[in-house]
Amino acid sequence: MNYKTHKIHFQRVPLLFFVFLLVFFAPFEAAANNETDKTRNPAADFDGDGKSDISVFRPSDGYWYVLNSSGGYSFTKWGLATDTPVPGDYDGDGRTDIAVHRKGTLLHGFIGIADNAWYILRSSDNTVSVNNWGKVSGYIYDKPVPADYDGDGKTDLAIYRQSDAIGAPSYFRILQSSDNSVVEKEWGSTTDVKVPADYDGDGKADIAVYRGYPLPGNNESGFWFILQSSTGKTKIERFGLMDDKPVPADYDGDGKTDIAVWRQSDGRWYRINSSNGSFDTTQFGLAEDKATPGDYDGDGRADIAVFRPSEGVWYLLRSTRGFTAQAFGLSGDLPVENAFIR
């Protein structure tokens, strides 16, 4: 795959609110003087400074646009309009790598088999990695669910294998980067949402699903099913409604992912803090927004945030530095922090 990367540095200026622009700005902010935990790789941290970078993938031209929290912005051509963004730290250097997953194409209707390809631009050495992991065959569909399942500091290639039969069992299939071994686990069903994350704080992503919609013959919904990697035990938590978007992240900064949902109908974020089991709710965002939680201020806690496509504006409620808004992107862009929110 051919690619081009461009980096631009510019003078930062204050953001002018409610002016809709199709150019990119950076608000004036004083530099933070705190130490960064290099073992932590927040969502979309392309420059490795311990902060999430405001960033988008533009399907119309195949470019990734990144507003680096350390200064300046870059744009890299990587991917096709039909690709799925799968950002992650695949080389373990503490920086998010630009990556896409290209779904296989069925041959001769539903009979043929085609592999799925992962195209990764490694930030450590600027080399390209192409891997086939997953397939599409008959009524079986693979969805990318990359995460660090083995705890070696690198994002693992992983897929969620499901059929189109409602209620049929589905499988996590993981290629562990530590030893190239394959782990396969039946977990969840076809209508479940995949939410792998480190819920128990052992440095490994746990296999997990959110069941927003009830299975046939069962009216119960809003369940989280988590296979804890530290103990091998199953954690079941009921939290959320059918139309909620699961937005798990470490909002309280205790090193564990918190169970959380965003309810677009009322613009509220609901979560259970893993540090003490307390309940928290915050109203932030509109129904049209895309949820983009990330650690934008580098304090070790995920911030509530949304991208508003109609304006091309990011709204951030930072846990340490408070509210800010940033114009960055166009209406058809896919915000990178939203890549795994389904």
Side-chain angles (χ1 to χ4, degrees), residues 243-275:
D243 293 327
D244 290 347
K245 292 282 188 183
V247 286
D250 183 10
Y251 297 94
D252 56 8
D254 67 344
K256 300 179 182 179
T257 297
D258 304 316
I259 290 174
V261 297
W262 182 51
R263 191 161 299 159
Q264 288 179 279
S265 61
D266 63 9
R268 284 192 174 275
W269 297 63
Y270 300 89
R271 75 171 186 262
I272 301 174
N273 294 308
S274 56
S275 56

Side-chain angles (χ1 to χ4, degrees), residues 127 185 297 317 335-336:
T127 60
K185 179 68 177 178
D297 52 13
L317 185 59
V336 175

Side-chain angles (χ1 to χ4, degrees), residues 49 72 94 128 135 158 162 164 168 170 176 185 189 195 204 206 238 249 253 282 284 293 305 307 316 324 328-329 332:
D49 66 347
V128 177
K135 65 180 180 179
Q162 60 193 85
D164 64 353
S170 298
Q176 298 191 134
K185 179 68 177 178
S189 68
V195 288
K204 301 178 182 180
D206 304 317
R238 190 170 191 179
T282 303
F284 196 82
F307 171 67
L316 314 178
T324 191
F328 194 84

Side-chain angles (χ1 to χ4, degrees), residues 45 61 64 111 119-120 163 173 190 203 218 231 239 246 255 265 268 296 299 303 330:
D45 181 12
D61 61 14
W64 294 62
I111 300 175
Y119 296 91
I120 301 168
S163 76
R173 186 171 171 80
T190 53
N218 188 337
T231 62
F239 194 77
S265 61
R268 284 192 174 275
Y296 296 92
D299 66 349
D303 305 315
L330 306 178

